[in-house]
Amino acid sequence: MRTRLLIAGLLAAAAALTGCGRGDADSASVPDGWKTLNTKGVSVSYPAGPDGYVEQSAAERGKYNAAAAVREESGRTVSVITVQLDFTRADSAEQAAIAAEAGIRMGAKVEGEKDVELAGTDRARRIDFSFDSTGEDGDPSKGTPVRGVILTGLDSAGRTFAVRIDAARGVLSAADLRGIIDSVRVR
């Protein structure tokens, strides 16, 4: 009898802990007033409104982006959030990170790479980088420092995903960046 109680207690504790892990799809949080980019493999939320981001249509965004939102100031794009799906063949978050890092523009400085917790997946990587804007194509003025973050890994079907956030210096607060990252949900 004691053995059965002990086993039942251990099973109940294990079941309770299972829902609290890094891959808990319900743990993504979305701040009030934010909107969400939804794709078949991942979703990410962003600050909306007059001083926030605006979602791009399929015709407006780059052909490799499954979703995108931009923030503009004085007619210039000062921040972009993009989602790419199935952008490379990879078997792990580490391989996806290598491929995502290869997509960072020439001359950018990779400042670090580390594991990151994202809702819906047990393994994801974060790449931090920076570069100076060229000022071309409506980007921030030439020489403006831009910071970027890529969150990458595999979705539940084993396909790669990459959520990329680029922002000119002073445009995206640390709290909003954290909110964007915390909102990511992998399916």
Side-chain angles (χ1 to χ4, degrees), residues 29-31 34-37 43-47 81 179-181 183-184:
S29 61
V30 179
W34 285 31
K35 292 191 176 186
T36 302
L37 297 173
S43 63
V44 59
S45 298
Y46 56 91
I81 301 169
I180 293 168
I181 293 169
S183 77
V184 174

Side-chain angles (χ1 to χ4, degrees), residues 32-35 46-55 70-72:
D32 289 336
W34 285 31
K35 292 191 176 186
Y46 56 91
D51 294 325
Y53 294 80
V54 175
E55 184 171 357
V70 297
R71 181 173 173 185
E72 294 183 348

Side-chain angles (χ1 to χ4, degrees), residues 1 47 100 134 183:
M1 181 70 164
T134 62
S183 77

Side-chain angles (χ1 to χ4, degrees), residues 122-142:
D122 289 331
R123 297 275 306 161
R125 301 288 292 168
R126 174 180 170 160
I127 304 163
D128 290 272
F129 60 96
S130 63
F131 59 91
D132 291 336
S133 176
T134 62
E136 298 171 358
D137 300 323
D139 289 341
S141 301
K142 185 175 182 174

Side-chain angles (χ1 to χ4, degrees), residues 55-74:
E55 184 171 357
Q56 289 185 316
S57 69
E60 294 171 308
R61 65 180 178 252
K63 71 178 184 176
Y64 298 110
N65 295 329
V70 297
R71 181 173 173 185
E72 294 183 348
E73 291 179 1
S74 302

Side-chain angles (χ1 to χ4, degrees), residues 1 24 52 61 80 85 89 101 128 142 157 163 168 171-172:
M1 181 70 164
D24 182 4
R61 65 180 178 252
V80 179
L85 302 175
R89 300 287 176 238
E101 195 172 312
D128 290 272
K142 185 175 182 174
V163 175
V171 170
L172 186 62

Side-chain angles (χ1 to χ4, degrees), residues 76-165:
R76 291 198 168 277
T77 300
V78 294
S79 185
V80 179
I81 301 169
T82 60
V83 178
Q84 289 188 345
L85 302 175
D86 208 14
F87 64 93
T88 190
R89 300 287 176 238
D91 294 328
S92 67
E94 290 77 15
Q95 290 176 354
I98 291 167
E101 195 172 312
I104 299 172
R105 61 179 248 156
M106 200 66 114
K109 178 183 176 191
V110 175
E111 297 173 351
E113 182 182 321
K114 62 184 177 182
D115 287 331
V116 65
E117 292 183 24
L118 299 178
T121 186
D122 289 331
R123 297 275 306 161
R125 301 288 292 168
R126 174 180 170 160
I127 304 163
D128 290 272
F129 60 96
S130 63
F131 59 91
D132 291 336
S133 176
T134 62
E136 298 171 358
D137 300 323
D139 289 341
S141 301
K142 185 175 182 174
T144 301
V146 177
R147 301 201 45 98
V149 173
I150 298 174
L151 308 167
T152 189
L154 303 176
D155 66 16
S156 63
R159 294 180 302 252
T160 55
F161 69 87
V163 175
R164 180 172 169 160
I165 307 134

